[in-house]
Amino acid sequence: MKYDEKVKRGESIAILQFQYDYKCNFHCQHCDITRLRSKNKNRFFTINDVKELSRQADEMGLAHIVITGGEPLVFPDFDDIVKAIDPQKFYITSDTNGWLLDKKRAKHLKSIGVDKIQLSLDSLSAAEHDEFRRKKGSHEKAIRAIDAALDARLNIIIQTVVTKQRVRSREFIEFLEFLNGKGVGVFVTYAKPVGSWEGNFDVLVNREDMDYMRELEKKYNVFTHLTPSYGLNLGCISVKRMVSITKYGDVMPCPYIHCSLGNFFKEPLKDIIERGLKIKYFGKYVDTCLIAEDRKFINDYVVKKIYGKPLPVPYAEVFTSEDFIA
């Protein structure tokens, strides 16, 4: 209710994309946490840490946490995570590939306080989806999961990866029509040259492709992270509307810009996010997706300063004093 006031004051209204653990039952072609998960640190999130994250985020006036991974529904302590976040204080979303989401599990998630499911589906073709997710039968399970979520009255959106090769395809139009016909909206994740796709620039969209997507938004229930919401047009939502928190406590501008703005175990979340907002790319309005379309940003900051280093790279090694708002 107070998002517009917070934005006017220059405060973040970030969704916390919370990578609690990296356990997963899939090996997807585009996995963006490939090198993040290999970081060997003794300190990682416990349930008590989740409670503290919830406390700090609530004090900041934040209201939405996305539990992700990995695959959250394989976490043995998933219910404890939800309880520690506190469904009375937060709108809670869980990412999932759908493999373990049947009707019984969906109703259980609803009962413990999960509000929304963000389900990955990447083609109407079972063969294409299964190949992309490297898991035979994953398409069938994902379709089953949609019906299970709807039956349990969970809010659900489909998250789908859109590449340069897919964005203008007939398959994508049919994909939107099929899901909208089931009353389900589609969230588009533009392909990013990170993780398993590090260096893969052929899959990236351009400005014209993004303009085409905006035209599709007028006809279908489809949206991207650049789509205005709550009456607010924030452009790129990094830090302003989204931060990503790794298993090891590093706070990144978004799930795909693998730069640490600070570590939650070492300093308050508020201080880390305020630091991020002082970097011009995140504190000012940017009318594109930096990590999906802006080739100059990708080359100057990602290729030159992040590729080849242990992840996430400390912000001081990525951004200079010239990148900060005076």
Side-chain angles (χ1 to χ4, degrees):
M1 291 171 64
K2 298 182 179 180
Y3 276 174
D4 56 345
E5 298 172 26
K6 290 175 70 64
V7 169
K8 287 175 183 176
R9 290 197 298 267
E11 298 176 14
S12 172
I13 54 171
I15 297 169
L16 303 184
Q17 197 253 13
F18 181 35
Q19 301 172 2
Y20 176 77
D21 200 352
Y22 296 131
K23 294 185 180 75
C24 192
N25 54 346
F26 281 22
H27 296 88
C28 304
Q29 286 186 20
H30 70 307
C31 181
D32 63 286
I33 61 165
T34 306
R35 292 206 295 119
L36 283 172
R37 74 196 321 169
S38 64
K39 187 169 184 178
N40 185 15
K41 277 192 171 183
N42 293 325
R43 187 76 162 96
F44 52 85
F45 268 94
T46 65
I47 293 300
N48 283 335
D49 294 323
V50 178
K51 291 178 182 177
E52 177 60 17
L53 176 64
S54 169
R55 185 192 69 78
Q56 290 190 30
D58 182 50
E59 285 186 354
M60 292 174 65
L62 304 182
H64 188 173
I65 293 182
V66 178
I67 304 170
T68 189
E71 165 54 38
L73 297 191
V74 305
F75 301 164
D77 50 355
F78 182 89
D79 289 16
D80 295 330
I81 300 167
V82 173
K83 184 178 180 181
I85 291 171
D86 190 350
Q88 296 301 313
K89 293 180 180 177
F90 288 89
Y91 187 87
I92 299 176
T93 296
S94 179
D95 282 345
T96 184
N97 54 41
W99 189 267
L100 297 173
L101 189 61
D102 56 16
K103 286 189 176 182
K104 182 179 179 181
R105 188 73 184 274
K107 289 177 180 177
H108 175 72
L109 296 182
K110 178 75 172 179
S111 73
I112 64 173
V114 173
D115 298 289
K116 181 179 177 182
I117 294 298
Q118 188 162 282
L119 176 73
S120 297
L121 183 67
D122 294 292
S123 177
L124 282 184
S125 163
E128 289 180 4
H129 174 86
D130 290 2
E131 181 182 4
F132 187 69
R133 293 287 166 176
R134 292 176 176 155
K135 188 79 167 182
K136 189 174 182 179
S138 60
H139 184 272
E140 180 183 354
K141 293 284 184 69
I143 297 298
R144 179 199 66 178
I146 295 172
D147 294 332
L150 292 171
D151 184 64
R153 297 186 179 181
L154 281 163
N155 293 321
I156 180 172
I157 59 171
I158 295 301
Q159 178 171 278
T160 194
V161 178
V162 170
T163 62
K164 175 74 174 177
Q165 294 73 27
R166 189 184 185 207
V167 64
R168 298 173 187 267
S169 69
R170 180 60 198 168
E171 177 274 330
F172 184 54
I173 296 296
E174 292 173 353
F175 183 88
L176 297 177
E177 290 174 344
F178 170 76
L179 289 163
N180 286 183
K182 294 176 76 68
V184 178
V186 176
F187 173 61
V188 164
T189 297
Y190 290 125
K192 318 289 195 309
V194 299
S196 296
W197 273 357
E198 188 171 295
N200 186 357
F201 306 116
D202 293 338
V203 295
L204 303 187
V205 298
N206 58 28
R207 291 279 182 138
E208 289 73 26
D209 297 326
M210 294 169 78
D211 288 341
Y212 172 77
M213 182 63 66
R214 292 186 182 99
E215 289 301 311
L216 291 184
E217 290 179 28
K218 298 175 183 178
K219 186 174 181 180
Y220 301 101
N221 182 10
V222 59
F223 44 94
T224 74
H225 63 286
L226 296 169
T227 305
S229 61
Y230 297 100
L232 300 170
N233 182 6
L234 300 178
C236 172
I237 63 173
S238 294
V239 187
K240 295 184 286 290
R241 182 79 179 103
M242 160 78 75
V243 292
S244 187
I245 304 174
T246 74
K247 173 180 177 177
Y248 305 107
D250 290 299
V251 180
M252 304 186 299
C254 82
Y256 311 103
I257 300 176
H258 295 157
C259 158
S260 177
L261 299 171
N263 192 284
F264 174 75
F265 299 139
K266 298 178 180 178
E267 55 185 324
L269 180 66
K270 185 175 187 291
D271 292 351
I272 298 170
I273 289 181
E274 285 180 353
R275 177 184 299 125
L277 288 173
K278 291 177 182 176
I279 298 171
K280 63 184 180 181
Y281 295 103
F282 313 132
K284 292 187 175 182
Y285 182 87
V286 176
D287 68 346
T288 190
C289 179
L290 292 166
I291 192 63
E293 186 276 330
D294 190 328
R295 294 299 186 93
K296 180 171 173 50
F297 180 88
I298 292 169
N299 183 64
D300 291 352
Y301 294 94
V302 181
V303 175
K304 292 181 179 179
K305 298 183 178 182
I306 295 179
Y307 278 9
K309 295 183 179 180
L311 301 181
V313 180
Y315 73 93
E317 295 180 24
V318 178
F319 301 103
T320 68
S321 58
E322 295 180 354
D323 296 315
F324 282 76
I325 298 169

